[in-house]
Amino acid sequence: MQQIKAYLDQIAKISHEDWDYFTSKLQGRVIPKKSIFLKVNEIENHISFIESGVVRLYIPKENPDKEITFGFSFEDQFISAYDSFLTQQPSAYQLQALTETTLLSITYDDLQEVYKNTQIGNLIGRLTAERLFLLKSKREQNLLNLNAEERYMKLFKERPELLKVIPLKYISSYIGVTAQALSRIRKRL
């Protein structure tokens, strides 16, 4: 709970009453390594704070080598199939824990209650949504403005720990190249 408290304290000052109400709605979950905890066509009912672990967002394909990884989330970040969460419509992609992952989760209905019954709920919700939007926008801009080698270098400058926990096939998909092209990029560096 201290991690999420520290994260939210950076956003806004939360009263003890609001904090107690909010935390009463949180559920701890441990997702085993390599587990898919949201599948295609399921409705996302949680927004979660990652206390530890790494989560991959991806579009599955019949041939696993053709899966499209389009996002990663890490410790001290929020994770959700946010478009499905907001619309309460089926997800077009999946969430997978790449490592054992510990989450603090709140359901859609409970979050609506937090919005209604606390002074700070709407602000936290808006700022969290803005953060998720900025991550998505940054990824799109990188895909449009940087070549594959630049995307690879930027990714590891910002997140050097990735090499230890994320298989290269997911990284190659994330930066938009084949595994063979990523291997050539890595040899040049």
Side-chain angles (χ1 to χ4, degrees):
M1 288 287 180
Q2 288 304 323
Q3 283 173 264
I4 194 169
K5 177 86 166 99
Y7 178 89
L8 294 175
D9 281 344
Q10 294 173 23
I11 296 173
K13 180 73 175 133
I14 304 171
S15 72
H16 291 296
E17 296 80 20
D18 284 359
W19 176 249
D20 289 345
Y21 186 77
F22 173 67
T23 57
S24 75
K25 303 293 185 185
L26 294 176
Q27 308 161 346
R29 299 193 294 166
V30 177
I31 311 298
K33 180 179 181 175
K34 296 186 180 179
S35 294
I36 297 166
F37 61 101
L38 179 76
K39 294 181 179 174
V40 165
N41 293 324
E42 291 180 348
I43 295 173
E44 175 64 275
N45 192 42
H46 295 93
I47 189 165
S48 302
F49 182 81
I50 302 173
E51 289 190 305
S52 65
V54 179
V55 175
R56 172 174 82 119
L57 296 84
Y58 73 103
I59 299 168
K61 301 290 182 184
E62 269 188 46
N63 178 349
D65 292 335
K66 304 282 186 191
E67 292 176 345
I68 301 167
T69 297
F70 65 90
F72 299 105
S73 287
F74 306 93
E75 183 175 308
D76 295 333
Q77 293 183 339
F78 282 93
I79 182 66
S80 181
Y82 199 58
D83 48 346
S84 173
F85 181 80
L86 288 176
T87 63
Q88 290 294 281
Q89 297 296 311
S91 176
Y93 52 94
Q94 299 191 155
L95 302 180
Q96 178 184 35
L98 294 181
T99 62
E100 181 176 276
T101 301
T102 304
L103 304 173
L104 288 174
S105 301
I106 189 167
T107 66
Y108 180 87
D109 290 338
D110 282 343
L111 186 59
Q112 302 315 306
E113 290 297 315
V114 169
Y115 289 162
K116 273 195 281 188
N117 296 315
T118 65
Q119 294 178 0
I120 202 73
N122 282 317
L123 176 64
I124 291 169
R126 188 191 90 227
L127 294 173
T128 301
E130 288 172 359
R131 185 209 152 270
L132 291 169
F133 169 78
L134 291 173
L135 286 173
K136 182 180 184 316
S137 177
K138 180 179 174 185
R139 163 126 169 87
E140 289 170 354
Q141 289 174 44
N142 285 343
L143 283 171
L144 294 170
N145 294 317
L146 303 176
N147 66 39
E149 190 170 314
E150 291 168 330
R151 289 192 300 271
Y152 176 79
M153 292 302 295
K154 184 175 175 109
L155 183 64
F156 287 104
K157 184 178 179 189
E158 294 172 359
R159 292 281 185 185
E161 73 277 12
L162 289 182
L163 273 178
K164 296 175 187 153
V165 296
I166 298 179
L168 291 178
K169 65 182 180 179
Y170 300 154
I171 293 168
S172 64
S173 174
Y174 180 74
I175 65 171
V177 298
T178 64
Q180 296 79 8
L182 178 58
S183 180
R184 287 191 295 275
I185 289 169
R186 289 170 47 103
K187 283 180 184 172
R188 283 196 302 270
L189 302 176

